[in-house]
Amino acid sequence: MMRRAAVGRASSNPQLPTAYDNGNGYGSPQNGYGGSKGRRNSGGSFGSNARMALWGASVLFFCTTLYYRSKANGWYGKLYPGSNSLPLEEQLREKTREYADVQKLLKESHGHYDVCEKDYYDVKAIMEDLRARLEEKKEKHEDLKDRSVDMWHDHEVTEHVEDRESAIWDRVHVLRKHIQREAHREVIERFGPGPHKVAIDVQVPYGDGNVKQFKAETIMMELAPLRLMPHAVHLFLEQIYHGLWNGCDFVINGIHVLQAGPGDDKQLEAFQHSQLDVLSFQEYHKEFPHEKYTVGFAGRPGGPDFYINKRDNTEYHGPYGQPGYDLEEEADPCFGRIVSGFDTLARLWTLPAMDDEAGFWLHEKVHISSMKILGPQPAPPLPDSNTVTNNGGSGGGAAMDEEYPHYAHHHEEMVQHQQTDQQGQQQQQGNFQQ
């Protein structure tokens, strides 16, 4: 094409020779280059073909470039949608906004990081505290483990002590049965099968002020059946038999009892010297409770003092009635019942006594002149070092018909009752011997 422009310009200038000017405008061979027409046609055809090939190659290259660029733009559009459709400034603003969002997210991430870091140290502190507590728990566990071994040892010791205690109580029960059996035998052999009657002669004061008169009156007592209270009945009969109650006194007039006992230390020593002061154990039977007018031994162990119940003391003097003692399940032995002399008792119950804090001691003691076993009398006790009486002589009993004629009309009834009870006592004696 450049060559065409040059040829055109040369043709327009009449002074320049043209290669193809032959007078008709198509040029002629008379020019500076020379040559025939055929050569000029042959050379021009080759150049034209070359130009056409170059032009076709350029077009093909341009189309190929456009095709692949179009493909590349399609791929870019798929990777970054809308990027090619936006102007450059808009893309820049979009990227700026994206950058700002990223900065914002980064700041938020830093904030979250700070929170997470704080939480991390808090959790770390909690873990350290838990670890320390775990170590403490481990130490306590080891300590408890050692103590559990000690406790197990203590448990074995406790079981051993309980077994020994159980064995000891078994021995105690055996001894109690043996004491009751021997007491039952002793009473049968010395005092008969019963029922056993006792007369208590007392000097009852009458009058007011300094002028008083004393009247001898008698209180009758019937002892409990041997099958119920053999040990307590035996002790009381032995005390009377040895004359230990002669010269003693009623000393306490409480709200619920009238109590008798040795009046001084000398009288108490007489009981102790005879080894008849206390019971071997607190004998009690639920069939003979502490009702009104019954008689029981006072103290732990019971004796030698006895009391007459002024009211029903079944609960207070029965099992678990006096929790101040070490063995609160024990009860006061109830071994007799008043059967006569109620007017005398009523008089004694009205006698003035000190207050509760002073122990209800009578202002004036009621003297017991004598205490005798009624009915068939045993042989008098042999004098020995262990037999001391409070009246200076041997103990003993009295024939009921001789010294207490007012009671003689009950003799026939008492004999019949004795025969009936004797059969039961003999049967019970056989049970005790078994």
Side-chain angles (χ1 to χ4, degrees), residues 234-291:
H234 177 242
L235 178 65
F236 193 64
L237 288 174
E238 288 290 343
Q239 290 172 344
I240 299 172
Y241 176 71
H242 290 89
L244 296 174
W245 282 109
N246 299 335
C248 292
D249 305 289
F250 282 98
V251 292
I252 294 176
N253 188 17
I255 297 176
H256 60 297
V257 296
L258 176 66
Q259 184 169 323
D264 52 36
D265 292 339
K266 183 179 179 179
Q267 291 176 338
L268 178 59
E269 289 175 0
F271 281 92
Q272 295 173 343
H273 187 75
S274 301
Q275 298 182 2
L276 295 172
D277 53 333
V278 294
L279 293 164
S280 298
F281 65 95
Q282 295 297 105
E283 187 179 43
Y284 181 80
H285 201 287
K286 63 181 181 179
E287 294 184 19
F288 208 86
H290 287 271
E291 297 175 346

Side-chain angles (χ1 to χ4, degrees), residues 58-83:
S58 299
V59 171
L60 180 61
F61 176 77
F62 179 74
C63 292
T64 302
T65 302
L66 289 178
Y67 174 76
Y68 283 105
R69 185 169 183 82
S70 176
K71 285 288 186 180
N73 290 336
W75 293 336
Y76 185 82
K78 291 179 180 181
L79 294 175
Y80 304 99
S83 60

Side-chain angles (χ1 to χ4, degrees), residues 207-348:
D208 299 328
N210 296 327
V211 180
K212 289 186 179 180
Q213 296 179 353
F214 293 91
K215 182 179 178 181
E217 298 184 11
T218 302
I219 301 172
M220 294 292 182
M221 180 194 309
E222 180 177 318
L223 302 186
L226 279 179
R227 64 183 180 86
L228 302 180
M229 301 292 293
H231 180 39
V233 169
H234 177 242
L235 178 65
F236 193 64
L237 288 174
E238 288 290 343
Q239 290 172 344
I240 299 172
Y241 176 71
H242 290 89
L244 296 174
W245 282 109
N246 299 335
C248 292
D249 305 289
F250 282 98
V251 292
I252 294 176
N253 188 17
I255 297 176
H256 60 297
V257 296
L258 176 66
Q259 184 169 323
D264 52 36
D265 292 339
K266 183 179 179 179
Q267 291 176 338
L268 178 59
E269 289 175 0
F271 281 92
Q272 295 173 343
H273 187 75
S274 301
Q275 298 182 2
L276 295 172
D277 53 333
V278 294
L279 293 164
S280 298
F281 65 95
Q282 295 297 105
E283 187 179 43
Y284 181 80
H285 201 287
K286 63 181 181 179
E287 294 184 19
F288 208 86
H290 287 271
E291 297 175 346
K292 188 176 181 179
Y293 297 116
T294 56
V295 181
F297 278 119
R300 294 288 189 280
D305 289 22
F306 71 89
Y307 57 81
I308 301 172
N309 288 296
K310 299 168 64 174
R311 65 186 184 188
D312 189 345
N313 292 315
T314 300
E315 183 176 354
Y316 183 67
H317 289 166
Y320 297 96
Q322 301 179 61
Y325 293 109
D326 293 334
L327 299 176
E328 65 274 6
E329 68 274 12
E330 292 184 334
D332 289 348
C334 187
F335 62 92
R337 185 187 304 275
I338 302 300
V339 295
S340 179
F342 297 106
D343 293 339
T344 302
L345 278 181
R347 169 61 183 165
L348 297 181

Side-chain angles (χ1 to χ4, degrees), residues 114-162:
D114 294 337
V115 173
C116 293
E117 185 178 19
K118 182 178 181 300
D119 293 341
Y120 166 76
Y121 285 110
D122 292 341
V123 171
K124 184 177 179 181
I126 293 173
M127 291 295 294
E128 291 177 354
D129 180 65
L130 291 176
R131 189 176 293 108
R133 293 170 62 183
L134 179 60
E135 294 297 328
E136 183 180 357
K137 293 292 184 183
K138 286 182 178 180
E139 293 178 359
K140 290 184 177 180
H141 175 71
E142 294 296 330
D143 182 60
L144 288 175
K145 185 177 179 181
D146 296 337
R147 291 174 59 186
S148 64
V149 174
D150 296 337
M151 290 175 64
W152 177 253
H153 177 69
D154 294 341
H155 177 68
E156 292 180 343
V157 172
T158 302
E159 286 187 347
H160 179 66
V161 171
E162 290 177 352

